[in-house]
Amino acid sequence: RQIDGWYDSWWAIKGEPGTTASRLLHWGRSQYGSDGRGLDGNGSPGSSGAWGAGRFNEASPVEALEQVAGVARPADRLCSVAGGSGRVMMIRAIDTMGVTTSCAPGAAKTVWFIGPTDQYDSSTGLVVRASGLPTGSPPAAVFTSKPASAYGSPYTLLLEDGRIFAFGNNYYD
């Protein structure tokens, strides 16, 4: 339904967006466990390792995983995805209370990350909900906005009311 990626890592939404049947597929480099599978490839929680640590999913795409009550399961209810090898940002049809919604305009949705949430060397490689986003307008889409330099991991979030928010490093302004 949607494909995004950059350089050595690619992401796709498979299945009907916003449903429990939708899946986040990954192929290429999973740096810092950014496919939610951690360094062991099985979704075990814990540190994702040192700078540059990762695995390659080159033979075929794998489903990104999240931890729910200590059990690894496929990330679902996806509406939009943007990512590279080190971090993924996605919009999910889940409201702030954890209730399933839809990808339809006006429906409550939340933004999630897999991969580093603050510093690369302290990433857990687990799916976490982004906090501190403005209220009043649901997220509409996410996309990568790679600069000419390979540094940084900028992601842009578009809200339904037209406001735009950026995430990631701001190397060289």
Side-chain angles (χ1 to χ4, degrees):
R1 302 295 181 141
Q2 180 189 358
I3 296 174
D4 190 65
W6 183 77
Y7 183 60
D8 60 358
S9 188
W10 300 93
W11 302 88
I13 295 176
K14 171 186 164 186
E16 186 63 32
T19 68
T20 56
S22 66
R23 296 289 186 260
L24 178 60
L25 299 180
H26 172 261
W27 63 101
R29 183 169 174 79
S30 174
Q31 193 165 339
Y32 316 106
S34 64
D35 59 5
R37 292 175 168 269
L39 287 181
D40 67 0
N42 298 316
S44 299
S47 175
S48 64
W51 176 262
R55 292 175 291 95
F56 284 90
N57 302 319
E58 294 179 328
S60 62
V62 297
E63 292 181 344
L65 300 178
E66 68 175 324
Q67 290 285 323
V68 178
V71 176
R73 70 170 199 186
D76 61 7
R77 301 178 190 136
L78 305 156
C79 298
S80 182
V81 63
S85 65
R87 184 182 303 163
V88 180
M89 184 177 182
M90 55 192 158
I91 296 174
R92 297 175 79 185
I94 302 171
D95 70 11
T96 57
M97 301 302 291
V99 176
T100 299
T101 61
S102 77
C103 295
K109 296 176 269 305
T110 48
V111 176
W112 299 71
F113 285 102
I114 307 177
T117 56
D118 53 7
Q119 299 178 24
Y120 285 106
D121 58 357
S122 64
S123 163
T124 62
L126 299 178
V127 178
V128 294
R129 189 166 65 88
S131 60
L133 293 173
T135 59
S137 182
V142 293
F143 53 93
T144 54
S145 48
K146 287 290 182 188
S149 164
Y151 296 106
S153 298
Y155 297 90
T156 303
L157 169 66
L158 172 66
L159 299 183
E160 287 182 4
D161 65 9
R163 289 182 289 168
I164 296 175
F165 293 85
F167 296 81
N169 300 324
N170 187 26
Y171 287 102
Y172 313 116
D173 293 329

